[in-house]
Amino acid sequence: MRLYGEPGRATQLVDDNAAGGYTRSASFLSADALTVSSRYTKARRNNFGLTSAEVESSRAKYGSNEIVRAKRHGFLSLYLRGFTDPIIRILIGALIANIIFSLGDVDWYETAGIACAVMIATLVSALSERGSERAFDKLQRRSESTFCRVRRDGRIMEIPISEVVVGDTVILSAGDGVPADGFLVSGKLSADQSALNGESRDMTKTPNPDGTPEGVLSPDDRACVLRGTTIVSGGGEMVVTRVGAATLYGEIAQSLQNEKRPSPLKHRLTELANNVSFLGYVAAALIGIAYLFNVFFIQNDMNISITLEQIKDYRKSLVELTNALAMAISVIVVAVPEGLPMMITVVLSSNMKRMLRDNVLVRKLVGIETAGSMNILFCDKTGTLTRGDFTVTRIVAVDSEYSGIRALRRSPAIYDILRLSAYHNTDSVRGTRGGRLCALGGNATDRALLDALISDGATPDQSNIYSRVPFDSSRKYSLACIERHGNGMLTLVKGAPELLLPRCTHCITSDGTRRPFYGRDAILRRYEELASQGMRVILVASAEGMYLAMPDSLDFAALVVISDEPRAEARSAVAEITGAGIQLVMITGDGESTATAIAKRIGILKDRDDLVLTGDRLATMTDTALKAALPRIRVIARALPSDKERLIRVSQELGLVVGMTGDGVNDAPALKAADVGFAMGGGTEVAREAGDIVILDNNIKSIGRAILYGRTIFDSIRKFIVFQLTMNLCAVGVSLIGPFIDIEKPVTVIQMLWVNIIMDTLGGLAFAGEAPRQEYMRERPKSRDEKILPTPLLMRVLTTGSFSIAICLLYLKLPFFRERFGYETDYLRFMTVFFAIFIFCGICNCFNARTPRINLAAHLSKNPAFIIIILLTCATQLLIIYFGGDVFRTTPLSPRDLASAALIAFTVVPFDLMRKFIVSQKRQKKYKN
């Protein structure tokens, strides 16, 4: 701890309202606090601050300035929670039953295979969920590493901001971050509050006239300074009235700890897993019952007396019951898609690198698919739809207009007045940032004008400033009186055109002539036109001589048009996103007129029914009224962070999948609350950590790419599920019927685990490589409750799966195949050929599922990895056939046997082509009707 200053006398400050919360119309300080405020005003002159005892007392009553982290799930907890997944529970049950009911003859290969499936699936799930709380951790680390200066025990101390307490007097200067919420009691400063309220305009802060720390705890209060904001220029002292979680910054941090609702993909997959699990249980029960019925009734020619005798033989009954349970377990393992969780991770992960090339960084895997499912996108204006920096875009002189400062060089007289005004009538200074000359400090308008002249190479002259009247929103102008080297005194004025135009009696023309100002009405109309377009307009004027206050007669120089221009790609990106059926709502802290003008320019406001709401109007609406109006809302102006979270909550209650873009600390809670949060790469670290996806180039067009990738990935996941469930249906069907044709285990557990974990992972990689196609952006968004396997896809699974079952059963049953492949003489060879047919059917169905078109090679050239992975799968299958041995129940086959197996399996391709043709014909007839 470092100490400065001289000791003085102690004072005590108590704020009974410090622990209160934030609302739109934040409450005033209590009567007790007002009484204490008057004592503070008298004591402040002693510059003593709190004593050590008062610091401890305040901390005990109001808490510290730390943002306390709620207890979170560790990695082990996340890993253990993965065992509650329906598929995992089925596998665990199968694992336990396999050991218990094997009567000492445990198949350890099967047991180890099931255990590996469980461990891998839960590990992948835990890894994908880990790190969701890093946003809050980043916020806390940032807080703990920052220092501030306070008055305590008559000295100036530099302490970590986590040690600030209610009642502390904090010294602020340019560049400092405000450590807590409170009120300015001395000095004058300009604060950048954009991180909290989204407004790019700096706000001047001044103490209350009587110097008391009281008022409305809101960014709009002139005396209020808030944690998380930055002092741009000036300085002063503040008294802290709220700390830690009670600050607005603290509220934002606390909201980052809220659990995010399950993603649409997880919601759909959970439903699918439950349905598949139910069918697996039913199939298992049927196979068990069928096996017992076959043993006790059919094999006894339906003789009840023999059946009863066998049942009384408890040893035989127990053996047969155990066999029935073992078969049921096998069917469950066959039916359940064990590799599905891993495959989803594979598909999502494999697209991350491709998306990174398009400046889309995926932090949370499920965010990719969720982007494609969005119904509504709440988009922050500043820095997302606009460039986020104010620039001089036009200069309006009395007889000419110029496209910028460089073009104004054609009028040296007006250019010189603007140059003098930019350097001398300003709160900004010329400096360097990152090795680049630029404007530092001051408000956004001052910086924009000075930046424009610095970029044009204009340098300050040798004029001396005699006096200055800084800008104040109540005055709406700033004034500087300068002494020009050898040219006498000149007064420079800039400010609101509606205030200064009536005082302009003369004007400077483009050729430098000073003449009476006859074009006032035309300039006024031009100003009103520019303001209605969302531009910020200031008037620059001058007066010969020295004036310490506003002159009665001014020489009009020009209107300077400053705007936060929309990004060049904003309009086309908005059209692409809305064309994809996604409602886009612009949210901004700017006023209604500016927001409306920007929204019209970029194509958000197009129809007469489109609705623009202010934050104040939004606050008066009930949730019911807001839900009714939501489909028409296009712009929210003067929005607070709580407005964004409320809009997200209401939209989610309507069943919508919600997206949110943002870059500031104020956006972080909304980014996390949304189903998918798009953080801008140029934004704050907290926002980037809170988001699911980071747009590295701050380009809204990249959001369109993320949506396209999301829809492509969802389509790939659906294709994979069709492929996997077709194989699983085939396996279940064969396993159910197999015992009735003397084939007890057509597909072993190990073989099915190979299919569901290894082969399906390769299949997932193959489908993951599908190229994004623009046609996906013409589809309507998927409802959150839409099934991942709708009726048409379910019929495809049932149809193709049934044909695959028929192929396999014909091979297993027909005498031709039994004789040809040695059912009686070489049973292992016979079952190896069957295993090859089963796998080759799956490979053929991989091609069938990849495209709904009859042309199986459609767009295949854009996914070369598909062919490579299919060849790799075939090669792996051959290795298993030749070297799998007892583990996989295989034996080496001759090339002729392999060719026969491939030919039998290939029949599924022409069958599925016929199915596609019939479906296509029905669809065409439907459209014609």
Side-chain angles (χ1 to χ4, degrees):
M1 181 181 294
R2 293 185 282 275
L3 306 178
Y4 308 91
E6 297 297 329
R9 295 164 64 182
T11 183
Q12 181 177 358
L13 177 68
V14 179
D15 175 9
D16 289 335
N17 197 49
Y22 274 87
T23 61
R24 177 173 294 284
S25 54
S27 58
F28 284 82
L29 297 181
S30 66
D32 289 342
L34 294 177
T35 303
V36 173
S37 296
S38 63
R39 296 208 306 270
Y40 166 79
T41 303
K42 187 192 309 182
R44 189 183 60 78
R45 290 193 290 268
N46 298 312
N47 294 326
F48 197 91
L50 297 181
T51 65
S52 297
E54 289 166 346
V55 168
E56 294 304 318
S57 175
S58 178
R59 184 176 288 118
K61 184 172 184 179
Y62 300 113
S64 73
N65 202 28
E66 293 180 344
I67 300 171
V68 181
R69 192 182 196 281
K71 187 177 179 180
R72 290 290 154 189
H73 299 293
F75 178 76
L76 180 60
S77 176
L78 290 173
Y79 181 73
L80 294 176
R81 194 167 63 179
F83 287 88
T84 62
D85 183 272
I87 291 178
I88 299 300
R89 282 185 292 182
I90 293 171
L91 289 175
I92 292 174
L95 178 65
I96 295 172
N98 193 53
I99 295 173
I100 293 176
F101 295 108
S102 296
L103 298 178
D105 188 23
V106 180
D107 187 336
W108 291 110
Y109 291 125
E110 290 191 0
T111 303
I114 297 172
C116 287
V118 170
M119 302 299 286
I120 293 172
T122 50
L123 181 63
V124 169
S125 175
L127 289 173
S128 67
E129 291 185 28
R130 192 182 184 191
S132 63
E133 300 308 317
R134 289 178 61 199
F136 180 79
D137 293 337
K138 178 67 71 176
L139 189 63
Q140 191 174 40
R141 288 196 299 271
R142 172 180 167 183
S143 172
E144 292 171 351
S145 63
T146 307
F147 287 77
C148 66
R149 292 168 293 158
V150 299
R151 293 188 184 276
R152 288 185 183 173
D153 293 318
R155 296 182 177 88
I156 298 176
M157 301 179 178
E158 188 175 69
I159 63 172
I161 69 169
S162 59
E163 296 182 10
V164 172
V165 298
V166 170
D168 263 329
T169 300
V170 180
I171 300 170
L172 301 172
S173 58
D176 289 345
V178 179
D181 290 356
F183 295 93
L184 201 65
V185 292
S186 68
K188 182 178 181 180
L189 52 84
S190 178
D192 177 5
Q193 302 182 128
S194 60
L196 291 180
N197 62 8
E199 292 190 33
S200 53
R201 187 194 304 251
D202 298 336
M203 187 169 184
T204 301
K205 301 289 184 178
T206 55
N208 291 314
D210 59 358
T212 55
E214 61 188 59
V216 180
L217 280 164
S218 162
D220 296 328
D221 189 277
R222 282 288 172 182
C224 176
V225 282
L226 298 172
R227 180 173 181 170
T229 62
T230 304
I231 309 305
V232 175
S233 61
E237 295 186 11
M238 67 172 285
V239 170
V240 175
T241 58
R242 293 188 184 181
V243 294
T247 64
L248 179 58
Y249 190 83
E251 283 191 347
I252 292 173
Q254 291 295 315
S255 68
L256 292 182
Q257 301 183 54
N258 298 332
E259 294 288 344
K260 202 182 187 86
R261 72 171 180 170
S263 69
L265 180 60
K266 189 170 185 178
H267 175 74
R268 292 164 179 150
L269 288 176
T270 299
E271 183 182 18
L272 176 67
N274 291 334
N275 292 337
V276 171
S277 301
F278 173 76
L279 293 175
Y281 288 133
V282 171
L286 289 175
I287 190 64
I289 294 170
Y291 175 81
L292 293 174
F293 185 79
N294 180 57
V295 169
F296 288 108
F297 289 93
I298 296 178
Q299 290 183 8
N300 294 327
D301 298 323
M302 303 302 290
N303 189 317
I304 301 297
S305 59
I306 298 176
T307 299
L308 292 174
E309 287 294 326
Q310 288 184 345
I311 292 175
K312 290 178 182 179
D313 184 350
Y314 295 111
R315 183 174 181 82
K316 177 177 175 59
S317 297
L318 183 59
V319 170
E320 297 300 345
L321 181 61
T322 301
N323 289 336
L325 286 172
M327 292 184 67
I329 290 168
S330 297
V331 170
I332 289 174
V333 175
V334 165
V336 174
E338 295 90 349
L340 188 57
M342 188 186 307
M343 174 270 160
I344 299 300
T345 304
V346 166
V347 172
L348 296 176
S349 301
S350 62
N351 277 274
M352 288 178 64
K353 288 187 177 180
R354 287 200 298 172
M355 295 179 72
L356 194 58
R357 290 196 292 269
D358 283 327
N359 295 304
V360 179
L361 172 64
V362 179
R363 287 195 60 253
K364 299 173 185 175
L365 293 180
V366 293
I368 310 175
E369 184 278 330
T370 309
S373 298
M374 266 196 310
N375 304 111
I376 186 168
L377 173 64
F378 294 105
C379 188
D380 189 53
K381 177 188 76 71
T382 304
T384 306
L385 293 167
T386 63
R387 292 200 298 254
D389 60 328
F390 282 90
T391 55
V392 175
T393 57
R394 186 164 293 275
I395 309 293
V396 180
V398 68
D399 56 356
S400 185
E401 287 197 19
Y402 304 90
S403 58
I405 290 293
R406 186 174 298 276
L408 187 63
R409 282 185 175 273
R410 299 196 299 270
S411 179
I414 299 176
Y415 184 93
D416 191 53
I417 292 172
L418 262 63
R419 180 179 63 85
L420 293 172
S421 189
Y423 276 106
H424 302 303
N425 186 17
T426 182
D427 287 326
S428 297
V429 295
R430 184 171 181 257
T432 59
R433 180 184 290 123
R436 183 180 66 87
L437 277 174
C438 63
L440 303 176
N443 58 44
T445 303
D446 285 345
R447 291 196 301 271
L449 183 57
L450 183 54
D451 267 332
L453 283 150
I454 290 174
S455 299
D456 192 48
T459 56
D461 63 4
Q462 302 301 314
S463 301
N464 297 317
I465 300 175
Y466 185 80
S467 67
R468 274 205 65 223
V469 178
F471 178 82
D472 185 88
S473 59
S474 59
R475 284 191 298 267
K476 296 186 178 180
Y477 73 90
S478 63
L479 179 148
C481 182
I482 65 172
E483 183 178 4
R484 292 174 294 178
H485 187 66
N487 289 316
M489 305 296 292
L490 178 69
T491 298
L492 302 166
V493 182
K494 75 173 190 295
E498 66 271 21
L499 174 71
L500 301 183
L501 268 176
R503 293 178 177 267
C504 292
T505 58
H506 292 76
C507 62
I508 308 298
T509 62
S510 297
D511 61 4
T513 304
R514 180 178 182 269
R515 64 172 177 78
F517 191 22
Y518 298 126
R520 183 182 290 106
D521 291 342
I523 292 295
L524 180 60
R525 287 193 299 272
R526 182 62 174 141
Y527 158 65
E528 291 172 345
E529 178 185 354
L530 291 166
S532 68
Q533 296 172 6
M535 307 293 184
R536 181 178 296 183
V537 185
I538 61 169
L539 187 150
V540 177
S542 63
E544 291 291 337
M546 182 180 70
Y547 296 89
L548 302 182
M550 174 69 74
D552 292 328
S553 176
L554 293 172
D555 295 343
F556 172 83
L559 296 177
V560 179
V561 183
I562 300 172
S563 66
D564 182 13
E565 284 293 293
R567 293 182 176 275
E569 61 280 353
R571 190 174 184 87
S572 61
V574 167
E576 181 181 36
I577 292 170
T578 55
I582 299 170
Q583 179 183 348
L584 198 154
V585 179
M586 185 179 81
I587 299 183
T588 177
D590 286 340
E592 184 175 357
S593 60
T594 300
T596 300
I598 292 292
K600 286 181 177 178
R601 288 179 65 185
I602 61 180
I604 292 177
L605 282 173
K606 294 182 290 186
D607 300 330
R608 185 174 298 177
D609 291 337
D610 290 345
L611 194 58
V612 178
L613 294 179
T614 62
D616 290 333
R617 170 72 191 285
L618 187 66
T620 65
M621 299 175 69
T622 64
D623 283 359
T624 302
L626 180 56
K627 289 176 181 178
L630 187 63
R632 295 172 48 226
I633 296 176
R634 295 295 180 270
V635 177
I636 304 292
R638 292 295 182 195
L640 290 180
S642 57
D643 295 331
K644 300 175 183 179
E645 293 179 80
R646 183 188 177 202
L647 286 163
I648 290 170
R649 174 180 58 79
V650 168
S651 300
Q652 289 175 339
E653 288 175 0
L654 289 171
L656 301 177
V657 178
V658 184
M660 167 72 187
T661 73
D663 56 2
V665 174
N666 64 313
D667 295 322
L671 286 170
K672 182 164 186 181
D675 292 298
V676 55
F678 297 97
M680 297 298 109
T684 61
E685 288 187 59
V686 174
R688 292 197 297 271
E689 293 288 348
D692 301 291
I693 294 174
V694 180
I695 306 300
L696 296 177
D697 59 354
N698 297 349
N699 190 335
I700 190 174
K701 197 166 187 67
S702 296
I703 296 177
R705 295 293 298 171
I707 294 169
L708 177 57
Y709 272 110
R711 294 188 173 187
T712 302
I713 288 168
F714 182 69
D715 189 65
S716 296
I717 290 173
R718 272 188 164 171
K719 291 174 181 177
F720 172 82
I721 290 173
V722 167
F723 155 70
Q724 186 181 49
L725 292 186
T726 300
M727 289 199 71
N728 283 32
L729 176 63
C730 178
V732 169
V734 172
S735 297
L736 278 171
I737 302 172
F740 296 99
I741 56 174
D742 300 325
I743 306 293
E744 186 173 320
K745 283 189 177 181
V747 183
T748 68
V749 171
I750 290 294
Q751 288 173 345
M752 204 60 210
L753 288 174
W754 141 248
V755 171
N756 279 348
I757 295 179
I758 307 302
M759 182 177 172
D760 285 353
T761 300
L762 293 173
L765 283 170
F767 287 116
E770 289 296 300
R773 299 203 298 271
Q774 204 61 36
E775 63 192 63
Y776 294 134
M777 294 298 281
R778 294 190 288 271
E779 298 176 358
R780 304 301 299 174
K782 306 290 189 298
S783 167
R784 179 180 173 82
D785 296 323
E786 180 177 329
K787 296 182 183 299
I788 200 166
L789 205 65
T791 302
L793 293 184
L794 182 61
M795 292 305 299
R796 183 194 300 185
V797 170
L798 293 175
T799 305
T800 310
S802 298
F803 183 79
S804 300
I805 292 172
I807 293 173
C808 292
L809 291 177
L810 287 173
Y811 169 81
L812 293 172
K813 181 63 177 175
L814 290 181
F816 171 78
F817 293 114
R818 289 192 170 194
E819 293 173 8
R820 171 70 178 79
F821 296 105
Y823 173 76
E824 298 289 347
T825 58
D826 193 349
Y827 183 76
L828 185 58
R829 173 193 168 211
F830 178 79
M831 295 309 298
T832 302
V833 172
F834 167 75
F835 182 43
I837 292 172
F838 179 71
I839 295 298
F840 290 151
C841 267
I843 292 172
C844 291
N845 279 325
C846 206
F847 281 91
N848 291 333
R850 195 191 71 84
T851 177
R853 303 185 181 188
I854 294 177
N855 178 14
L856 297 183
H859 305 290
L860 190 58
S861 61
K862 295 181 180 178
N863 185 13
F866 186 88
I867 297 297
I868 296 173
I869 292 171
I870 292 298
L871 292 175
L872 178 61
T873 304
C874 292
T876 307
Q877 178 61 23
L878 291 177
L879 288 175
I880 289 174
I881 288 173
Y882 285 96
F883 302 103
D886 293 338
V887 176
F888 284 91
R889 197 184 66 182
T890 59
T891 187
L893 297 177
S894 66
R896 184 177 180 182
D897 287 349
L898 280 175
S900 298
L903 185 62
I904 293 170
F906 184 77
T907 58
V908 77
V909 173
F911 173 82
D912 196 64
L913 291 178
M914 291 175 58
R915 182 198 62 79
K916 290 178 180 178
F917 178 77
I918 293 171
V919 170
S920 175
Q921 292 298 309
K922 288 183 177 179
R923 188 181 297 117
Q924 290 180 8
K925 288 181 180 179
K926 182 179 178 181
Y927 289 149
K928 288 179 180 178
N929 296 333

